[in-house]
Amino acid sequence: MDCDVLVHSSPIGTIYCLFEGKFLIDLSIKDAKGLQGTAHSLSPIACHFFQELDAYFKGDLKEFNQEIKFVSGTDFEREVWIALRDIPYGETRSYKWLAERVGSPMAVRAVGQALKKNLLPIILPCHRVIASDGSLGGFSCGVEIKRWLLRHEGLMI
């Protein structure tokens, strides 16, 4: 698999992206977390994605168009990740809501574990998932980044 690892600066820190052809397959904030690939000059696809990221951080983009590809995850995890796209910009949903959305209402903890493994945070907006009591819950990139993203989207968390 020939992949391109690219780095982009953002208001929440350095973002490391791994592309496989036209697909974004991994995104990490502040930490390259062992991403392996070959660093190349920006492809038109990566350039367009970084423009989308910049527009998101300016508040001009609410939904990403970048094509993604799952390279890991169980069927359940992938269902959870896909369901994240049903959470609108500037809104939150609970872990319980997400478990119900994927047809497993008792799998709240499993949903949380799936979110920990989300390789495409921001794009698949796991930061919009909070606890039923309104507390933030966790976030693989850190709770402070989760809080920043939610405030950026207009939520007073």
Side-chain angles (χ1 to χ4, degrees):
M1 167 168 68
D2 186 28
C3 298
D4 296 332
V5 178
L6 301 166
V7 178
H8 191 69
S9 295
S10 80
I12 57 172
T14 303
I15 297 178
Y16 298 87
C17 298
L18 185 61
F19 288 87
E20 183 182 297
K22 66 180 182 175
F23 299 102
L24 178 65
I25 61 171
D26 201 337
L27 181 147
S28 179
I29 302 167
K30 291 189 176 182
D31 178 13
K33 66 175 180 181
L35 294 182
Q36 294 183 10
T38 309
H40 296 285
S41 59
L42 282 183
S43 69
I45 289 165
C47 189
H48 182 263
F49 174 63
F50 290 150
Q51 289 171 348
E52 283 192 336
L53 271 177
D54 291 341
Y56 169 80
F57 286 118
K58 287 180 188 171
D60 296 335
L61 181 84
K62 298 192 179 355
E63 190 173 308
F64 291 91
N65 295 311
Q66 173 61 48
E67 290 188 68
I68 61 171
K69 179 179 173 183
F70 297 129
V71 294
S72 67
T74 65
D75 289 343
F76 176 79
E77 289 167 342
R78 290 175 182 211
E79 283 183 56
V80 170
W81 300 334
I82 291 167
L84 290 168
R85 291 206 162 169
D86 295 336
I87 307 172
Y89 179 96
E91 295 183 24
T92 59
R93 298 293 186 270
S94 69
Y95 293 94
K96 181 179 179 173
W97 177 91
L98 196 51
E100 290 169 351
R101 187 74 169 189
V102 299
S104 299
M106 302 304 290
V108 175
R109 288 182 190 265
V111 163
Q113 292 302 308
L115 295 181
K116 262 179 153 175
K117 297 177 183 178
N118 177 12
L119 294 180
L120 298 166
I122 303 175
I123 310 311
L124 299 177
C126 53
H127 62 278
R128 296 179 189 152
V129 181
I130 62 173
S132 293
D133 67 3
S135 62
L136 287 182
F139 188 53
S140 62
C141 303
V143 174
E144 285 307 312
I145 291 176
K146 181 175 188 169
R147 183 176 282 114
W148 190 98
L149 291 167
L150 292 172
R151 285 183 177 155
H152 171 70
E153 293 185 9
L155 297 165
M156 302 309 290
I157 303 280

